[in-house]
Amino acid sequence: MRLFVALDLPQEVKVRLAAMAGGIPGVRWVPPENYHLTLRFIGEVPGHMAEEVDLALAHIRAKPFELSLAGLGTFEKGGRVQSLHVVAERTPGLAHLQAKIETALQRAGLPPERKKFAPHVTIARTDGAALPKLAGFVQAHNLFRTEPLTVEHFVLFSSRLGKEQAVYTPEVEYALAA
Ligand code: ATP
Ligand code: MG
């Protein structure tokens, strides 16, 4: 199974993100049902490891926290803009949960994540984008922000890669409690 740990987003936030999408030729917009904030990408693991992952995540104790999305950003690789995202504020509560997940998954036997945590919600894959249009989009929408939303659970998703879009399935939800 291909797995990742993420925050799901409230429907009203998905609706606002979807309303912003559009207007850049050559990009692939993420379908609204696929919006999420990745806390930890796990990748392909055998069934027994998926069980270890679930056990490790189920033992995490963390409190609900506030999350705000504010502004847009892009990720680049080899001089190409690969994706467009909405930035999530790196609040203490979010950083704390991410760190707990990282520790738990390493204890369960996964290799450490090397990349620094940069919380974001991808809204488009931009490999084929017209760059001036992309820059214009970022400028036009850079004031996007959400009211703080309370995060009360995190989710283990499985991912099936398709020709068009990946299909994500929520496998297990883990509650945060005060
Ligand atoms: P596709 O790969 O077909 O574009 P996808 O990226 O939406 O689809 P996955 O590759 O399964 O689907 O990724 C699931 C989530 O994990 C996405 O948020 C993705 O950005 C993130 N992710 C994927 N690979 C990595 C990685 N190597 N490091 C960190 N995060 C990753
Ligand atoms: Mg991918």
Side-chain angles (χ1 to χ4, degrees):
M1 287 180 116
R2 184 181 179 93
L3 299 175
F4 64 101
V5 183
L7 301 180
D8 197 5
L9 298 168
Q11 192 58 29
E12 60 271 22
V13 172
K14 291 182 180 175
V15 166
R16 283 195 60 204
L17 293 173
M20 185 168 48
I24 315 173
V27 318
R28 280 189 298 144
W29 296 97
V30 172
E33 67 271 19
N34 276 8
Y35 293 146
H36 65 278
L37 188 160
T38 300
L39 297 168
R40 175 55 143 95
F41 180 70
I42 296 172
E44 267 319 313
V45 290
H48 67 86
M49 186 45 101
E51 283 171 31
E52 293 296 327
V53 162
D54 173 40
L55 273 176
L57 295 175
H59 280 106
I60 288 176
R61 292 287 164 265
K63 292 189 173 73
F65 60 90
E66 305 278 277
L67 176 75
S68 299
L69 304 179
L72 298 186
T74 56
F75 288 133
E76 295 175 29
K77 199 172 162 187
R80 289 174 75 94
V81 182
Q82 292 209 307
S83 62
L84 173 65
H85 60 261
V86 175
V87 178
E89 284 176 0
R90 203 174 183 288
T91 56
L94 177 60
H96 178 74
L97 177 61
Q98 185 270 334
K100 283 212 156 177
I101 290 171
E102 181 60 33
T103 304
L105 293 181
Q106 285 184 27
R107 275 209 211 106
L110 293 180
E113 170 64 73
R114 297 188 180 284
K115 278 193 275 178
K116 190 175 179 298
F117 180 51
H120 64 276
V121 178
T122 299
I123 59 170
R125 310 284 169 167
T126 52
D127 283 332
L131 286 180
K133 288 265 189 201
L134 187 55
F137 184 93
V138 170
Q139 271 196 349
H141 294 283
N142 224 355
L143 292 178
F144 178 91
R145 67 178 302 127
T146 63
E147 293 295 306
L149 40 115
T150 308
V151 176
E152 289 177 309
H153 64 269
F154 63 99
V155 183
L156 178 63
F157 284 94
S158 64
S159 168
R160 273 183 297 126
L161 301 182
K163 276 200 203 79
E164 294 292 314
Q165 297 290 353
V167 176
Y168 305 143
T169 306
E171 300 289 346
V172 190
E173 256 187 43
Y174 307 93
L176 302 173

